[in-house]
Amino acid sequence: MWYVIIGQDRPDSMDARKQARPAHLARLEALQSAGRLLVAGPCPRDDSPTPGPSGISGSVVIAEFPDLAEARAWAEADPYLAQGVFESVEVRPFIQALP
């Protein structure tokens, strides 16, 4: 089943985000290689396609896991959480209606 993972950044998270990004991306690339990643990306604080001085407010990942417990375990092992980028992470089941 698909699960949406929403990580909320703490204020002033950009330095920690930059440091943890390679490890964070490696995990996403592993999901993609396994055909289990629907979409992933950051949410800029500003209404802009590139992060401005305000930085990033969080990230969204929609990926396939066998169950909610495994989706939560994957999210809890994210380098962004371990390095203090995320102040909270929410994991919910997701049903793709379109496309």
Side-chain angles (χ1 to χ4, degrees), residues 1-4 36 62-68 70-71 92-96:
M1 180 165 189
W2 294 108
Y3 294 89
V4 61
R36 296 173 44 206
I62 300 177
E64 188 176 35
F65 294 93
D67 55 42
L68 182 58
E70 287 199 35
R92 290 187 274 167
F94 177 80
I95 299 171
Q96 183 180 6

Side-chain angles (χ1 to χ4, degrees), residues 45-92:
R45 290 187 192 276
D46 298 328
D47 187 11
S48 171
T50 57
S54 299
I56 301 293
S57 66
S59 296
V60 174
V61 173
I62 300 177
E64 188 176 35
F65 294 93
D67 55 42
L68 182 58
E70 287 199 35
R72 284 185 175 145
W74 187 91
E76 290 170 3
D78 194 297
Y80 279 178
L81 189 60
Q83 297 297 319
V85 175
F86 292 154
E87 63 184 5
S88 66
V89 176
E90 181 180 1
V91 180
R92 290 187 274 167

Side-chain angles (χ1 to χ4, degrees), residues 9-77:
D9 278 33
R10 66 173 169 77
D12 301 317
S13 63
M14 283 305 290
D15 288 339
R17 181 177 269 274
K18 287 176 186 174
Q19 290 179 341
R21 189 169 190 264
H24 172 78
L25 289 179
R27 297 176 80 236
L28 292 171
E29 289 165 355
L31 285 177
Q32 184 177 23
S33 293
R36 296 173 44 206
L37 183 65
L38 184 63
V39 67
C43 301
R45 290 187 192 276
D46 298 328
D47 187 11
S48 171
T50 57
S54 299
I56 301 293
S57 66
S59 296
V60 174
V61 173
I62 300 177
E64 188 176 35
F65 294 93
D67 55 42
L68 182 58
E70 287 199 35
R72 284 185 175 145
W74 187 91
E76 290 170 3

